[in-house]
Amino acid sequence: GLVQLAWSDTVSGVTGYQLERRQQGQTSFRQIATIPSGIKVFNDANVKSDSVYTYRIRSFTSLASSAYSNEVTVTVTGGLPA
C-alpha cells in the first residue's frame, strides 16, 4: 500500500516537519519522518493493506516546534485483483 500526504505551511523560517502516524488500535503516535523545509509531500509506503492510519504533522525551527496539525485518518485498501 501507499499513502500520499501533502500539506501547506504559511510560516516563514521553518527548518522542517515532523510527521507522525498512529495505526488503528494503537494509543500513541510514532514519528515516521523528519522532512526538510521546502518539501510539502510525503509518500508513506510502509503501510499494510486493509488498515487504518491517522497522521499529524508539525513544523519546527532550531528554537521551537509548532502545535500539531489537525489529524487525518486514511484507510489503505487492498490492491487490484490480478
Side-chain angles (χ1 to χ4, degrees):
L2 177 72
V3 174
Q4 184 177 67
L5 302 160
W7 59 93
S8 61
D9 192 348
T10 58
V11 178
S12 62
V14 170
T15 302
Y17 306 94
Q18 295 168 328
L19 179 63
E20 297 186 351
R21 178 183 70 201
R22 180 181 69 212
Q23 190 169 358
Q24 185 176 33
Q26 295 177 339
T27 58
S28 58
F29 282 87
R30 181 175 64 88
Q31 185 172 325
I32 61 167
T34 301
I35 303 159
S37 66
I39 299 191
K40 304 282 193 301
V41 176
F42 180 82
N43 291 320
D44 186 3
N46 192 22
V47 293
K48 298 177 187 174
S49 294
D50 302 317
S51 297
V52 178
Y53 297 92
T54 301
Y55 294 88
R56 67 184 183 182
I57 194 168
R58 67 179 175 180
S59 61
F60 67 91
T61 67
S62 59
L63 301 175
S65 295
S66 70
Y68 285 105
S69 66
N70 292 333
E71 297 174 2
V72 61
T73 299
V74 298
T75 300
V76 180
T77 58
L80 297 174

